[in-house]
Amino acid sequence: MINLSTLDYSIIIIFFLITLFIGIYVSKKSGKNSTEFFLSGRNMPWWLLGLSMVATTFSTDTPNLVTDIVRKDGVSGNWSWWAFLITGLLTVFVYAKLWRKSNVKTDLEFYELRYGGAPAKFLRKFRAIYLGVLFNLLAMSAVTLAAIKIGQVMLGLEPWQTVVYAGIITVTFSAIGGFRGVVYTDFLLFFVAMIGAIGAAYYLVNIPEVGGIEAIMANENVTDKLSILPDFNNTEMLITLLIIPLAVQWWSSWYPGAEPGGGGYIAQRMLAAKDENHAIGATFFFNIMHYALRPWPWILVALASLVVFPDIASIKEAFPNINDSKLGNDLAYSAMLTKLPSGLLGLVFASLVAAYMSTISTHLNWGASYIVNDFYKQQINPEASEKKLVLVGRLSTIGLMVFSALIALNLQNAKQLFDLIILFGAGTGLIFILRWFWWRINAWSEIIGMFASGIVSILIKFTALGTFLFNVDSGIFPSWAEIPIAVLITTILWLLGTYITKPEDTKVLKEFYKKIQPGGPGWKKILRVAELDGEIIVTDKSPWSVPHGILAMIIAMISIYSALFATGYWIYGKYTLAITLSIVVIISVLILLKVWKKIKANIL
């Protein structure tokens, strides 16, 4: 536990007051109607939405998660989430403009645009609860768990105290400010969070107990954790940390903020953009900041923590009051922050509060948008006034906060939840990628895929079958095979379901094509049917943009990964590699600009 100075408290209080002021200031406009409350009138610029995406994914559990990964598997363990860059860039160059064209209020409303009849209505309503409530609560509880650990280590707070104090402020400005309040505060939260993370990393790497970056790299607890790529001689680690994420995970699994084909709160921000170009610009800016620039401050603190707290026992010894149920490697990040000086400590603490508030407020508004637009309005009160919809949105916001806090009080480790969510969505990602470009996918494809992935995940994680199949010592399959096998079973089942069930009504498919203009060979049959019926559904005569989009995705991926690695090698002092990769970044950016000119959508 640490004692905050008057300066520290002043910084934190000023931050809270500014945040609440923003929520109150925009509350009147946000409360005008549900479109304002959930999408701020669809008039947001790319840079503001991009910063909001970055701030949202900078949650209190992220530094803890990265610390947990680095301490267990080394820097290369971060490929479990670095691989999602491919998903993000596919969204940028292929799906962002399609989402904005759809003009739906939530990504779940898409179901009744793409599909028809009772299955589409069921899918929309069910996923409103499945994603907006169940998955959303799990994601928020992981963030709140991190806040609880920070509160315990830094302030000596009981878990319930952290939940109450942090929750009241966050839910207040989220409920009154709506999406506009979330995005405006995210602008502030982004800068506070980044300054805090960088300041903490710089100071903690250079404290006497650590001794600087050279001392870290020479420390026996750290030397085997530094590599950005896993050991190619260790087959199991190579498969688990690199091959599975890059070959299977990024396209097959659903995860909040990294949905294949876009979705969730990322889709919410694309739908709130001024136009298609701003939607593309926002998502591209987000991916650059999220993957290329932001990870290293967290990684440095995690590596430094191995010098000061080499194992969990040393953390327990330093903080004996920590509840054993919350003890884990992820606590090392908060433990290191207790060594910060006055002033910087207040700023970093405010940055962690900022990270918490940004993420939770986004999840609250996003989840409430599902409950209001895709469940309440569709199932309970179709004639509800806009004022009533905003009220239900605010009540839903409060309810989600309360239940996520209760779940967080019973959790131990954020990494467990991350792995569970990845497995729960395994196999469904391909549906989200293909449904825009293949006419044969129907509502039953998604229903079967959703239930199959959930059932398979439960069997693997919570029954004796999972132990029998994947036990480390006696299982039939190695533990890394969990995701590939779940993906294979789920994919087979939803493909079988697709061909066994009837195709979507031709009228629905023609209307979808007419509005979105997805193009590609997957729609040839529908185009032939429309031509025979004498209907004109092709209004965009330009060449299909997807091949150029995929090429741009690959070039951008090379650029961003090179920037990520170059930053690491500059820090490590490996200047030849750092210079080489920096040159690769420059060349790939120049090539990307040329390819970009061939893509119809242009953010410039």
Side-chain angles (χ1 to χ4, degrees):
M1 177 179 170
I2 56 175
N3 293 315
L4 296 176
S5 68
T6 303
L7 177 60
D8 294 325
Y9 278 116
S10 299
I11 293 171
I12 295 167
I13 292 170
I14 290 170
F15 169 76
F16 278 146
L17 291 175
I18 292 172
T19 303
L20 287 172
F21 171 77
I22 292 172
I24 295 168
Y25 180 76
V26 302
S27 61
K28 186 175 181 180
K29 191 167 186 179
S30 294
K32 284 173 60 179
N33 54 57
S34 58
T35 302
E36 280 289 344
F37 191 77
F38 294 119
L39 293 173
S40 66
R42 301 186 191 271
N43 197 35
M44 285 283 174
W46 66 270
W47 57 270
L48 189 56
L49 291 171
L51 284 174
S52 178
M53 292 179 193
V54 182
T56 293
T57 51
F58 192 157
S59 55
T60 41
D61 66 322
T62 314
N64 288 23
L65 174 64
V66 170
T67 302
D68 197 356
I69 289 171
V70 171
R71 287 174 64 90
K72 288 179 181 176
D73 299 322
V75 175
S76 62
N78 286 286
W79 280 102
S80 60
W81 66 277
W82 285 346
F84 283 120
L85 170 65
I86 310 172
T87 311
L89 292 176
L90 194 63
T91 298
V92 172
F93 294 108
V94 175
Y95 294 100
K97 67 177 183 178
L98 301 178
W99 276 111
R100 191 59 187 86
K101 277 183 179 180
S102 71
N103 209 38
V104 293
K105 282 188 177 181
T106 68
D107 57 318
L108 298 189
E109 189 180 329
F110 169 86
Y111 290 126
E112 292 194 68
L113 177 67
R114 173 62 175 82
Y115 312 124
K121 293 181 183 296
F122 166 79
L123 189 59
R124 181 179 178 183
K125 288 179 288 193
F126 183 83
R127 283 186 77 84
I129 303 302
Y130 184 69
L131 296 181
V133 177
L134 177 60
F135 266 76
N136 199 21
L137 288 176
L138 291 177
M140 285 194 294
S141 61
V143 177
T144 303
L145 172 64
I148 288 172
K149 294 190 175 190
I150 291 167
Q152 281 189 315
V153 171
M154 297 186 71
L155 301 177
L157 295 176
E158 290 296 322
W160 70 267
Q161 291 176 305
T162 301
V163 165
V164 171
Y165 300 154
I168 287 176
I169 296 171
T170 305
V171 81
T172 299
F173 91 81
S174 300
I176 63 177
F179 183 76
R180 188 180 298 275
V182 170
V183 173
Y184 284 3
T185 51
D186 277 349
F187 180 79
L188 168 67
L189 301 179
F190 166 80
F191 290 104
V192 173
M194 284 301 297
I195 292 169
I198 294 170
Y202 181 81
Y203 182 87
L204 292 172
V205 164
N206 292 291
I207 59 176
E209 299 99 303
V210 176
I213 189 67
E214 291 183 1
I216 289 176
M217 295 179 65
N219 189 281
E220 62 180 6
N221 297 329
V222 180
T223 51
D224 64 339
K225 308 287 187 183
L226 292 169
S227 178
I228 297 174
L229 294 172
D231 183 359
F232 280 59
N233 294 317
N234 187 330
T235 305
E236 184 173 347
M237 292 292 283
L238 180 65
I239 293 173
T240 303
L241 300 181
L242 189 65
I243 294 176
I244 295 298
L246 286 178
V248 180
Q249 185 176 295
W250 73 267
W251 59 264
S252 65
S253 295
W254 184 97
Y255 188 79
E259 301 86 347
Y265 54 76
I266 299 297
Q268 185 186 29
R269 278 150 180 75
M270 292 188 285
L271 293 168
K274 288 182 177 181
D275 53 37
E276 299 162 33
N277 300 327
H278 282 269
I280 294 170
T283 47
F284 191 35
F285 179 73
F286 159 65
N287 279 280
I288 293 171
M289 296 297 295
H290 183 55
Y291 294 99
L293 301 179
R294 197 168 55 181
W296 282 106
W298 302 330
I299 292 171
L300 286 172
V301 174
L303 293 173
S305 76
L306 286 164
V307 178
V308 182
F309 304 105
D311 52 32
I312 294 177
S314 61
I315 299 175
K316 178 65 176 176
E317 184 180 351
F319 302 94
N321 294 327
I322 297 297
N323 192 310
D324 287 344
S325 67
K326 305 299 181 191
L327 197 62
N329 276 301
D330 54 344
L331 265 177
Y333 189 84
S334 304
M336 290 297 291
L337 297 184
T338 62
K339 300 183 176 297
L340 294 174
S342 176
L344 180 57
L345 178 61
L347 179 62
V348 171
F349 191 81
S351 77
L352 293 172
V353 174
Y356 173 82
M357 293 174 69
S358 173
T359 303
I360 292 294
S361 62
T362 286
H363 277 270
L364 290 173
N365 189 266
W366 165 53
S369 74
Y370 282 4
I371 294 170
V372 171
N373 291 311
D374 303 298
F375 186 79
Y376 177 80
K377 189 176 180 181
Q378 300 299 312
Q379 182 72 18
I380 299 174
N381 191 358
E383 304 301 322
S385 65
E386 288 295 323
K387 200 170 184 179
K388 185 69 173 285
L389 294 177
V390 171
L391 175 61
V392 174
R394 285 174 169 157
L395 292 175
S396 300
T397 299
I398 296 169
L400 288 169
M401 185 73 244
V402 170
F403 282 108
S404 67
L406 293 174
I407 295 172
L409 291 171
N410 292 284
L411 288 176
Q412 179 177 0
N413 186 289
K415 183 65 164 60
Q416 297 169 334
L417 210 53
F418 175 84
D419 293 338
L420 180 62
I421 293 176
I422 291 292
L423 187 62
F424 244 86
T428 59
L430 196 58
I431 304 174
F432 305 141
I433 289 173
L434 293 179
R435 63 189 181 181
W436 297 85
F437 299 108
W438 185 26
W439 73 275
R440 190 58 183 84
I441 285 181
N442 58 25
W444 287 108
S445 308
E446 298 217 23
I447 293 170
I448 293 168
M450 176 177 60
F451 280 104
S453 66
I455 293 169
V456 168
S457 300
I458 290 170
L459 291 174
I460 289 174
K461 284 293 185 183
F462 302 110
T463 70
L465 178 62
T467 305
F468 172 72
L469 293 175
F470 302 106
N471 185 275
V472 176
D473 299 316
S474 59
I476 297 175
F477 302 105
S479 58
W480 55 258
E482 281 186 357
I483 289 179
I485 288 176
V487 169
L488 179 63
I489 294 172
T490 301
T491 302
I492 289 172
L493 290 174
W494 75 253
L495 279 172
L496 285 173
T498 300
Y499 282 107
I500 290 172
T501 55
K502 291 182 180 180
E504 290 298 335
D505 185 83
T506 305
K507 183 180 179 182
V508 172
L509 295 172
K510 286 191 290 189
E511 286 298 319
F512 175 79
Y513 192 98
K514 191 172 183 180
K515 183 170 188 176
I516 304 298
Q517 299 293 296
W523 287 94
K524 282 185 177 179
K525 181 170 181 178
I526 302 305
L527 297 182
R528 285 198 300 269
V529 171
E531 187 178 354
L532 291 173
D533 292 342
E535 294 182 53
I536 299 174
I537 64 172
V538 179
T539 57
D540 185 354
K541 301 292 185 180
S542 59
W544 193 36
S545 63
V546 170
H548 280 123
I550 292 174
L551 177 61
M553 177 198 78
I554 294 170
I555 297 168
M557 182 178 66
I558 293 170
S559 177
I560 293 174
Y561 277 142
S562 296
L564 173 68
F565 300 160
T567 304
Y569 290 130
W570 282 115
I571 292 169
Y572 289 174
K574 296 183 177 181
Y575 298 122
T576 302
L577 277 171
I579 292 170
T580 302
L581 287 167
S582 298
I583 293 171
V584 171
V585 172
I586 294 169
I587 293 172
S588 57
V589 167
L590 293 174
I591 295 172
L592 180 61
L593 290 173
K594 289 188 177 182
V595 173
W596 185 244
K597 291 178 182 178
K598 298 180 181 180
I599 299 175
K600 182 183 177 183
N602 193 330
I603 64 170
L604 301 178

